Amino acid sequence: MHLPLDATPTSSLRAGMLGALLLAITLAGYAVYELILRPRAGFPSDDMAVILGGIDTLRAGHWLKFGYAGGVALLTVGLRGRLHDSSPTLMDLAVLAGAGSVALLVASGVLGLRLLQEADLFYLTNLVDARSTILIRVVTQSLQQAGLLLGAWLILLSSIAGLRAKVWPAVMHGLGLVVGALLIAALILPAPLDSIGPLLAIVYAGWLAWQFWQTGRS
């Protein structure tokens, strides 16, 4: 049974609101992590003493991935409930992108935390193995980039569907298109241009949370 757009189940609206809010908070946390916490801990660095001395900071970065994954999962549910009837094909693709993003980010976070634990154990007895373990971080970084890329496609596809549905402000969905495109382009953009997308995504996610909340009240 298809529900009209103004009859989206409350549970989907709540999931979307919480997901967008969690995503905004997590992205803000990443900004603090990248701009303040990592530099204070001496990163980037290949010095094992610096790496293990800042291990709690690195752990915080990996834990943020779980927050991002949770936000994407809830947001995917909310967006599907709100927009699927108007653009089923686009939203089916968006759901696939969201599910893939969640899986990759969780895998990156779990692997990253495990690598830090192993490197910490090896450091006092086998420095070579400790360094080798840390170097595997390229795998966690690749998984994270892939997860963020799929998250960008979720935003991009759902924004196109939102423009078609005309249930929320077109300006917000236009911002979503810009954010999605910038997050995809971040793979090739040089610093600091690659940070524009994530920063704009904080605004977009916060605005989206507000729209979900307003819809649930009406």
Side-chain angles (χ1 to χ4, degrees):
M1 181 179 67
H2 293 291
L3 294 172
L5 287 172
D6 59 352
T8 308
T10 303
S11 57
S12 293
L13 294 174
R14 187 180 298 115
M17 181 192 69
L18 292 175
L21 186 60
L22 180 56
L23 195 59
I25 293 172
T26 304
L27 286 167
Y30 265 121
V32 173
Y33 173 74
E34 291 289 344
L35 299 176
I36 299 175
L37 298 182
R38 274 174 56 87
R40 282 185 179 177
F43 297 111
S45 174
D46 288 326
D47 188 326
M48 285 300 298
V50 173
I51 292 172
L52 294 178
I55 198 168
D56 288 337
T57 299
L58 294 176
R59 284 194 178 107
H62 290 305
W63 279 110
L64 282 169
K65 296 173 187 177
F66 297 115
Y68 196 106
V72 169
L74 290 169
L75 182 58
T76 300
V77 171
L79 288 171
R80 186 190 186 282
R82 188 63 174 151
L83 301 171
H84 187 268
D85 285 347
S86 63
S87 299
T89 301
L90 279 174
M91 287 312 300
D92 283 344
L93 291 172
V95 168
L96 288 175
S101 177
V102 171
L104 289 166
L105 288 168
V106 169
S108 178
V110 170
L111 180 59
L113 290 171
R114 182 64 177 174
L115 289 177
L116 291 177
Q117 181 183 14
E118 292 299 315
D120 199 19
L121 291 174
F122 282 135
Y123 182 59
L124 295 178
T125 58
N126 193 327
L127 183 59
V128 174
D129 283 354
R131 180 174 292 279
S132 298
T133 301
I134 286 296
L135 290 177
I136 303 175
R137 69 181 182 268
V138 68
V139 178
T140 69
Q141 292 168 345
S142 298
L143 289 171
Q144 181 182 15
Q145 284 188 327
L148 294 175
L149 180 62
L150 286 178
W153 277 105
L154 167 66
I155 294 173
L156 195 65
L157 292 170
S158 63
S159 295
I160 296 173
L163 284 172
R164 289 184 176 182
K166 298 179 181 179
V167 294
W168 288 326
V171 176
M172 188 195 74
H173 294 303
L175 176 61
L177 291 175
V178 172
V179 167
L182 285 174
L183 290 176
I184 293 170
L187 292 174
I188 58 173
L189 288 174
L193 295 178
D194 60 346
S195 63
I196 296 176
L199 291 175
L200 281 178
I202 299 173
V203 178
Y204 169 75
W207 195 352
L208 191 55
W210 172 259
Q211 291 299 330
F212 272 113
W213 183 68
Q214 287 285 80
T215 303
R217 292 181 60 198
S218 60

